[in-house]
């Protein structure tokens, strides 16, 4: 394993480990803000942060498991473990939203004005700044490393930031107008927002578990690599792709002349494999060589 590849494997793990104490710190800050004010909106914010802690642990476990090499029982690797973590995180977000709905609905019937609002807002803003910076780090690094679990964790924390902004607005309105009902109303709006975010996360992760094809941009890069490096062959067809975490699986049929020597066909395959892996890091290829005259099927790549 090269140093660069090893670094790519360890970076998501290090960030996932660092996320756990940061999530605990943010949770402690938000619980302090709720304790000071008694605000149901701040309580809803703290409930989501509890989910952050659980989700961060799940992401770390998934990243560690997904990095295990292929074995006899998992011959294509363990990459999809990260999608399972992302689904769990999405479900946890939905559960948090339902808990917030429950608390906010009860407070809506008998709203009370929170106390020490300025102190509570100040404490909550500090937590939001920490979350905002870390969410950006996780999403950027997760996309670079093609880590669904890390990206999901970052998006969840980013949702927490939006939640906190909503809470600040709600408490500000309650303070400015003297109407405490703004506190539970904003908590309800926060619950609706994170419910939507949780569903989006579940949907994206299920797509990965269902062997979603590579993006249009990546597919075009593959086609270009084939066109530039398939000289000597007659064409390519039955091109198929799927994404599994940081790994990409690509297979296609390479058509060659019936009298082409095996060694020459092998050279073409080596050239194609090198070019495609350069375009799509982490790709695993399966190229089926077949003679001219076999009826083509599947996705075709026209050679210039």
């Amino acid at each position: 394993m090269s140093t660069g590849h090893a670094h790519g494997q360890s970076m998501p793990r290090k960030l996932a480990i660092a996320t756990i104490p940061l999530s605990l710190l943010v949770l402690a800050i938000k619980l302090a803000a709720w304790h000071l004010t008694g605000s149901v909106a701040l309580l809803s914010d703290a409930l989501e942060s509890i989910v952050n802690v659980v989700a961060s642990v799940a992401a770390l476990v998934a990243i560690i498991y997904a990095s295990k090499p292929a074995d006899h029982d998992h011959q294509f690797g363990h990459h999809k473990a990260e999608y399972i973590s992302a689904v769990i995180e999405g479900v946890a977000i939905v559960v948090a939203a339902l808990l917030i709905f429950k608390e906010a609905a009860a407070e809506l019937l008998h709203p009370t004005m929170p106390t020490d609002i300025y102190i509570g807002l100040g404490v909550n803003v500090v937590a939001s700044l920490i979350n905002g910076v870390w969410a950006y780090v996780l999403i950027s690094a997760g996309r670079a490393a093609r880590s669904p679990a890390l990206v999901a964790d970052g998006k969840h924390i980013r949702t927490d930031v939006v939640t906190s902004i909503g809470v600040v607005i709600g408490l500000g309105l309650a303070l400015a107008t003297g109407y405490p009902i703004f506190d539970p109303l904003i908590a309800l709006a926060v619950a609706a927002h994170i419910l939507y975010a949780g569903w989006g996360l579940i949907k994206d992760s299920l797509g990965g578990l269902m062997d979603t094809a590579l993006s249009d941009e990546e597919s075009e890069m593959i086609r270009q690599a084939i066109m530039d490096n398939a000289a000597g062959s007659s064409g390519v067809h039955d091109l198929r792709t799927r994404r599994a975490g940081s790994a990409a699986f690509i297979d296609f049929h390479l058509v060659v002349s019936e009298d082409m020597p095996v060694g020459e066909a092998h050279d073409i395959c080596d050239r194609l494999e090198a070019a495609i892996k350069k375009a799509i890091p982490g790709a695993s290829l399966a190229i089926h060589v077949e003679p001219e005259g076999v009826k083509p099927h599947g996705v075709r790549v026209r050679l210039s």
Side-chain angles (χ1 to χ4, degrees):
M1 180 181 290
S2 66
T3 303
H5 182 67
H7 175 73
Q9 291 288 334
S10 63
M11 184 270 295
R13 183 182 303 192
K14 290 177 180 178
L15 289 176
I17 292 172
T19 300
I20 295 174
L22 274 175
S23 297
L24 288 169
L25 173 62
V26 170
L27 172 60
I29 293 173
K30 289 187 176 184
L31 286 174
W34 166 64
H35 181 72
L36 287 169
T37 62
S39 164
V40 68
L42 286 175
L43 173 60
S44 69
D45 209 3
L47 285 174
E48 190 178 359
S49 291
I50 292 174
V51 177
N52 278 353
V53 176
V54 176
S56 298
V57 174
L60 175 59
V61 173
I63 288 171
I64 292 173
Y65 189 76
S67 66
K68 292 175 60 178
D71 55 33
H72 181 268
D73 294 324
H74 305 87
Q75 297 176 6
F76 289 93
H78 301 79
H79 310 286
K80 287 191 176 183
E82 293 201 38
Y83 289 119
I84 296 173
S85 167
V87 170
I88 292 172
E89 190 160 343
V91 171
I93 292 175
V94 171
V95 171
L98 295 177
L99 290 174
I100 294 169
F101 271 125
K102 177 178 177 294
E103 294 294 331
E107 183 69 17
L108 195 62
L109 297 175
H110 305 286
T112 56
M113 182 65 74
T115 59
D116 295 323
I117 292 181
Y118 288 115
I119 298 175
L121 287 177
V123 172
N124 212 53
V125 167
V126 171
S128 300
L129 289 173
I130 295 172
N131 268 345
V133 173
W134 196 244
Y136 175 79
V137 171
L138 290 181
I139 293 173
S140 300
R143 285 174 176 166
R146 298 191 181 279
S147 171
L150 210 60
V151 171
D153 212 14
K155 285 184 176 180
H156 184 189
I157 293 175
R158 186 175 64 185
T159 301
D160 201 7
V161 174
V162 176
T163 299
S164 298
I165 293 172
V167 168
V168 169
I169 293 172
L171 289 179
L173 287 172
L175 187 63
T177 63
Y179 292 113
I181 198 169
F182 280 111
D183 184 32
L185 284 176
I186 287 297
L188 288 172
V190 164
H193 169 72
I194 66 174
L195 188 63
Y196 176 79
W199 166 245
L201 190 55
I202 292 171
K203 184 175 67 174
D204 290 345
S205 302
L206 287 177
L209 288 172
M210 295 299 292
D211 288 338
T212 300
L214 271 61
S215 67
D216 291 341
E217 180 183 358
E218 290 174 315
S219 296
E220 182 56 36
M221 292 169 67
I222 294 169
R223 289 187 176 93
Q224 190 61 51
I226 291 174
M227 287 190 292
D228 292 343
N229 295 276
S233 68
S234 304
V236 167
H237 64 86
D238 201 18
L239 172 62
R240 301 184 302 173
T241 66
R242 66 182 176 91
R243 168 68 66 187
S246 60
F249 295 93
I250 304 162
D251 64 78
F252 55 86
H253 292 214
L254 179 71
V255 182
V256 299
S257 171
E258 291 184 0
D259 56 1
M260 177 178 286
V262 173
E264 189 174 337
H266 184 267
D267 290 342
I268 298 174
C269 290
D270 282 348
R271 192 164 66 240
L272 285 169
E273 185 174 359
I276 293 173
K277 285 186 174 181
K278 182 177 180 181
I280 311 293
S284 177
L285 275 77
I287 305 175
H288 175 75
V289 178
E290 64 183 37
E292 292 175 341
V294 176
K295 185 178 179 180
H297 53 282
V299 180
R300 301 188 68 181
V301 178
R302 297 186 180 276
L303 305 181
S304 57

